[in-house]
Amino acid sequence: MSTIKELARNRGEAPPLRGGHALCAGCGIPIVVRTVLGSIDGPVVVVSATGCLEVATTRFPTTAWTVPWLHVTFENAAAVASGVESAHRALVRRGRLPDEPVTFVVFAGDGGTYDIGLQALSGALERGHRFLYVCYDNQAYLNTGVQRSSATPRWASTTTSPASVRGLGKLQERKDITAIAAAHHVPYVAQAAGCHWQDLARKVRRATSAGGPAFVNALADCPLGWRHPARIGPRVARLAVETRLWPLYEVAEGRTRLTYEPAERVPVQDWLALQGRFAHLLTPEHADAVAAIQARVDADWDALLARCAADAALRRAAVGDYDSGHA
């Protein structure tokens, strides 16, 4: 699918997630969800952990979903998806269901992925269940009051790690959940962003055809928690990518490949300056903190490029060995 219209039409007259939900104006989550589901052909079953997406799309007695959908708790979305996928395989073997492909998709926020749901996710990936797990990463517990999570960037101000005279906000670096998922040696892992919808759509198609568990970590901005005007949400998300703070890449069969490289190095301060959660850093006395963030972004980017180059060399060597052995 090469255009927004084609993506929207892929699911027919009734899109999997209709309008009329209660997600905030400017929220990045519905962009991620609609891109993901619009990129999948055939029947879909959605498992949704507690979070912004679940709360805002199923306020009793209504729902914005038009596909089979299950709500489960923060901690067990991956476990429930494992059970649904296993039950489907069993029923197909017994002839109770037609032997036709069904795509099982999990949506969970960073709280339900990085933190509360990590154990269930790790187990499901290790067991090899065939499903796509999508983390809509808005970098905090935004459904319950903007508390910090392990996805929250260092020095961001949240309600449980506030910037004050006693501190600059959250003290710890964010967890690299994409690398953690890749360390499970599953067929496909990727990092994406809703603002780069074509890249996200391609990754979803690769993920759902990978033949095993797949994980996509998709950045989804939050005007409320990030404290920026709703109208500039896509700009804020794009700057996260252009500053190289949120690189777009994939790990397919253990090999890392960059899927988008910014044309120039945009300073990370341009991204920080658009968000109230970092306003306390934009003063002369905290220039060292901004410099430290920039240094971390640069180091992480260089390390990613090194992994991509090493894996590309391995791919070339493997092709060369194959060709020489079959000449």
Side-chain angles (χ1 to χ4, degrees):
M1 287 155 292
S2 58
T3 69
I4 286 285
K5 287 184 178 180
E6 289 170 340
L7 190 69
R9 291 189 189 121
N10 188 48
R11 300 301 303 186
E13 293 299 320
L17 179 64
R18 293 181 191 259
H21 55 71
L23 287 161
C24 299
C27 176
I29 296 172
I31 298 174
V32 170
V33 173
R34 286 173 171 157
T35 302
V36 168
L37 296 180
S39 304
I40 299 172
D41 296 319
V44 173
V45 174
V46 173
V47 177
S48 183
T50 299
C52 292
L53 178 64
E54 172 268 323
V55 169
T57 58
T58 57
R59 299 205 298 186
F60 184 82
T62 64
T63 179
W65 296 94
T66 64
V67 295
W69 177 90
L70 292 83
H71 164 229
V72 295
T73 57
F74 274 114
E75 67 271 17
N76 66 345
V80 170
S82 300
V84 174
E85 186 262 351
S86 297
H88 178 263
R89 283 189 286 109
L91 291 171
V92 168
R93 285 197 304 269
R94 297 171 188 173
R96 300 281 298 277
L97 287 176
D99 189 5
E100 298 174 352
V102 176
T103 303
F104 303 96
V105 182
V106 177
F107 289 109
D110 50 277
T113 302
Y114 285 68
D115 299 333
I116 309 173
L118 181 59
Q119 181 176 347
L121 173 60
S122 178
L125 294 178
E126 187 274 333
R127 290 190 301 272
H129 293 279
R130 188 165 183 168
F131 69 97
L132 169 60
Y133 189 109
V134 179
C135 173
Y136 55 88
D137 190 341
N138 47 26
Q139 301 188 330
Y141 288 91
L142 293 163
N143 174 51
T144 55
V146 196
Q147 299 93 343
R148 55 90 79 196
S149 77
S150 62
T152 305
R154 189 181 185 191
W155 291 323
S157 181
T158 73
T159 56
T160 51
S161 61
S164 66
V165 294
R166 300 179 60 183
L168 291 181
K170 186 194 172 195
L171 300 177
Q172 300 79 17
E173 296 285 355
R174 60 176 292 274
K175 185 188 294 181
D176 190 350
I177 194 69
T178 310
I180 291 170
H184 286 74
H185 308 293
V186 296
Y188 190 82
V189 171
Q191 192 157 283
C195 57
H196 286 252
W197 63 268
Q198 288 177 312
D199 176 80
L200 174 57
R202 283 192 295 268
K203 287 170 176 170
V204 169
R205 290 194 290 272
R206 295 202 67 184
T208 53
S209 62
F215 177 86
V216 174
N217 193 23
L219 185 69
D221 73 287
C222 173
L224 174 66
W226 295 17
R227 291 160 54 195
H228 65 70
R231 67 181 183 278
I232 69 167
R235 179 185 171 197
V236 175
R238 282 194 297 270
L239 267 177
V241 175
E242 294 300 322
T243 58
R244 311 186 184 202
L245 179 140
W246 190 266
L248 305 183
Y249 68 97
E250 62 185 6
V251 185
E253 298 296 342
R255 303 290 173 82
T256 305
R257 186 179 74 89
L258 200 66
T259 60
Y260 175 78
E261 183 167 5
E264 59 185 39
R265 284 187 180 265
V266 178
V268 73
Q269 182 166 331
D270 290 4
W271 181 71
L272 301 174
L274 294 179
Q275 304 168 69
R277 61 177 177 162
F278 294 113
H280 57 286
L281 299 180
L282 305 178
T283 57
E285 60 266 34
H286 294 138
D288 288 348
V290 175
I293 295 173
Q294 183 68 67
R296 182 59 185 256
V297 168
D298 293 343
D300 288 348
W301 177 261
D302 291 342
L304 175 61
L305 290 186
R307 290 202 304 273
C308 291
D311 286 351
L314 287 172
R315 279 193 294 269
R316 289 193 296 269
V319 171
D321 291 344
Y322 180 85
D323 289 344
S324 62
H326 292 76

